[in-house]
Amino acid sequence: MRPIFDSTAAGMHAPWWLPGNSGRYLSSTMLIEHNGRMWQALFSVRKSDLYTRFDAFLPWLALLTGFASTMLLYMLFHTLASSRRRAIQMATGMTEELRASQIRLQLSHQKLRRLAAHADQIKEEERKRIAREIHDDLGQNLLVLRIDADMLASRTQRRHPRLNARARSTLEQIDATIKSVRQIINDLRPTVLDLGVNAAVEWQVAQFRLRTGIACEVSESHDDICLSDQCATALFRILQESLSNISQHANASRVQVKLEKCRDTVSMSVSDNGVGAAIDGRNKLGSFGLVGIEERIKLLGGTFHIESSPGAGMSVHVSVPLGADATAFPYQEESRASA
């Protein structure tokens, strides 16, 4: 068979069918009918002409690109996971530090409350000591002076009118001094507290009524309520502070004090029909009256709440256990906080 046409230039390339060249070429055969005859067309091309040098590196480039993409995705997810893990560790550390700070703050608060209870106890004991010394020393001396002045006034009444007048004037000054000393003693530590909380409340209400002219009623459900000295003193001071607030700020015309005993607790309420106040008024800067009442009740392990609104008066309610001890309660609360 002789080829009719060969697209390759003569002498430049060896034909594809020659031995040793078939592996370097790709060939294809096609039958063509022309002029009533069958012709066999042979097509061949060198394999090296089908691709360039870039095509040889394309698989490696694809492999490198895939590897780089995989590494980038890995680094991205690893960074996200590491950031989340660090954030969780940081949040955990901050939470633990916050809890530790809260525990330290709570313990410091309990220590301050214990210190306040100790200071309050010392203050009451010092008041009691000063009142006793004034009563025993100054009171006795004034009583002796009054007896001598009264004897002098009695003996000079007829013979020495001018000396008698001086003696009477001295006697009046001594009486006024004795009255002032008694008032100081009552302010420091009323002796009526030794008679019980009921008598102390009635005496304080009577003094408030006499001093201010405001109608004040006392309602008691039990007689002779037995309380510890600390608890009775605390209730008496709370009553003093409440009545003082009423006389200074409430502009009230009627006050009612209730003292009740219910099982193992004692409750006291002080109500007025004054102008009232906002509940958060106790948080004002420099306002320590209601804050002092609340702190005293907390030291005794009791409860304290206020009912008030502008124009509708105010009611202060306190309740304490019968066996309340201001020095023991902070320690108990601190032990619960530590646990």
Side-chain angles (χ1 to χ4, degrees), residues 6-7 13 31 68 87 138 208 244 280:
D6 188 357
S7 62
H13 300 284
L31 295 177
L138 184 59
F208 172 78
S244 176
D280 57 353

mmCIF file of all heavy atoms in Angstrom, residues 6-7 13 31 68 87 138 208 244 280:
data_model
loop_
_atom_site.group_PDB
_atom_site.id
_atom_site.type_symbol
_atom_site.label_atom_id
_atom_site.label_comp_id
_atom_site.label_asym_id
_atom_site.label_seq_id
_atom_site.Cartn_x
_atom_site.Cartn_y
_atom_site.Cartn_z
ATOM 1 N N ASP A 6 0.876 12.626 2.474
ATOM 2 C CA ASP A 6 1.445 12.604 3.822
ATOM 3 C C ASP A 6 1.644 14.039 4.249
ATOM 4 O O ASP A 6 2.287 14.826 3.549
ATOM 5 C CB ASP A 6 2.771 11.850 3.825
ATOM 6 C CG ASP A 6 3.303 11.639 5.240
ATOM 7 O OD1 ASP A 6 2.647 12.133 6.203
ATOM 8 O OD2 ASP A 6 4.354 10.991 5.385
ATOM 9 N N SER A 7 1.022 14.415 5.391
ATOM 10 C CA SER A 7 1.099 15.808 5.849
ATOM 11 C C SER A 7 2.445 16.171 6.392
ATOM 12 O O SER A 7 2.767 17.348 6.583
ATOM 13 C CB SER A 7 0.038 16.079 6.928
ATOM 14 O OG SER A 7 0.288 15.243 8.047
ATOM 15 N N HIS A 13 10.600 13.839 9.295
ATOM 16 C CA HIS A 13 10.154 12.935 10.348
ATOM 17 C C HIS A 13 9.997 11.560 9.789
ATOM 18 O O HIS A 13 9.553 11.405 8.632
ATOM 19 C CB HIS A 13 8.815 13.389 10.943
ATOM 20 C CG HIS A 13 8.886 14.771 11.562
ATOM 21 N ND1 HIS A 13 9.466 15.029 12.764
ATOM 22 C CD2 HIS A 13 8.454 15.958 11.055
ATOM 23 C CE1 HIS A 13 9.387 16.305 13.036
ATOM 24 N NE2 HIS A 13 8.775 16.914 11.991
ATOM 25 N N LEU A 31 -12.118 4.570 7.225
ATOM 26 C CA LEU A 31 -12.474 4.147 5.862
ATOM 27 C C LEU A 31 -13.309 5.235 5.215
ATOM 28 O O LEU A 31 -14.310 5.693 5.804
ATOM 29 C CB LEU A 31 -13.236 2.824 5.900
ATOM 30 C CG LEU A 31 -12.436 1.610 6.413
ATOM 31 C CD1 LEU A 31 -13.341 0.374 6.467
ATOM 32 C CD2 LEU A 31 -11.224 1.354 5.544
ATOM 33 N N ALA A 68 -1.668 23.002 50.309
ATOM 34 C CA ALA A 68 -1.665 24.329 50.932
ATOM 35 C C ALA A 68 -3.053 24.690 51.453
ATOM 36 O O ALA A 68 -3.200 25.237 52.559
ATOM 37 C CB ALA A 68 -1.172 25.372 49.932
ATOM 38 N N ALA A 87 -10.238 31.057 75.428
ATOM 39 C CA ALA A 87 -11.330 31.868 75.981
ATOM 40 C C ALA A 87 -12.016 31.148 77.136
ATOM 41 O O ALA A 87 -12.345 31.759 78.164
ATOM 42 C CB ALA A 87 -12.333 32.200 74.880
ATOM 43 N N LEU A 138 -21.149 61.470 141.093
ATOM 44 C CA LEU A 138 -21.677 62.826 140.975
ATOM 45 C C LEU A 138 -23.063 62.949 141.580
ATOM 46 O O LEU A 138 -23.390 63.959 142.236
ATOM 47 C CB LEU A 138 -21.708 63.223 139.490
ATOM 48 C CG LEU A 138 -22.145 64.650 139.174
ATOM 49 C CD1 LEU A 138 -21.230 65.666 139.859
ATOM 50 C CD2 LEU A 138 -22.147 64.875 137.666
ATOM 51 N N PHE A 208 -41.155 60.639 124.891
ATOM 52 C CA PHE A 208 -41.376 61.200 123.552
ATOM 53 C C PHE A 208 -42.658 62.031 123.518
ATOM 54 O O PHE A 208 -42.682 63.136 122.949
ATOM 55 C CB PHE A 208 -41.464 60.052 122.542
ATOM 56 C CG PHE A 208 -41.874 60.477 121.159
ATOM 57 C CD1 PHE A 208 -40.970 61.082 120.302
ATOM 58 C CD2 PHE A 208 -43.176 60.275 120.716
ATOM 59 C CE1 PHE A 208 -41.355 61.485 119.031
ATOM 60 C CE2 PHE A 208 -43.563 60.657 119.448
ATOM 61 C CZ PHE A 208 -42.653 61.272 118.605
ATOM 62 N N SER A 244 -36.916 59.446 117.076
ATOM 63 C CA SER A 244 -36.154 60.641 116.726
ATOM 64 C C SER A 244 -36.372 61.021 115.258
ATOM 65 O O SER A 244 -36.533 62.201 114.925
ATOM 66 C CB SER A 244 -34.669 60.395 116.998
ATOM 67 O OG SER A 244 -33.884 61.500 116.594
ATOM 68 N N ASP A 280 -36.085 54.008 99.285
ATOM 69 C CA ASP A 280 -34.636 54.098 99.098
ATOM 70 C C ASP A 280 -34.038 55.323 99.752
ATOM 71 O O ASP A 280 -32.880 55.641 99.545
ATOM 72 C CB ASP A 280 -34.289 54.108 97.605
ATOM 73 C CG ASP A 280 -34.973 55.254 96.863
ATOM 74 O OD1 ASP A 280 -35.801 55.933 97.485
ATOM 75 O OD2 ASP A 280 -34.672 55.446 95.672
#
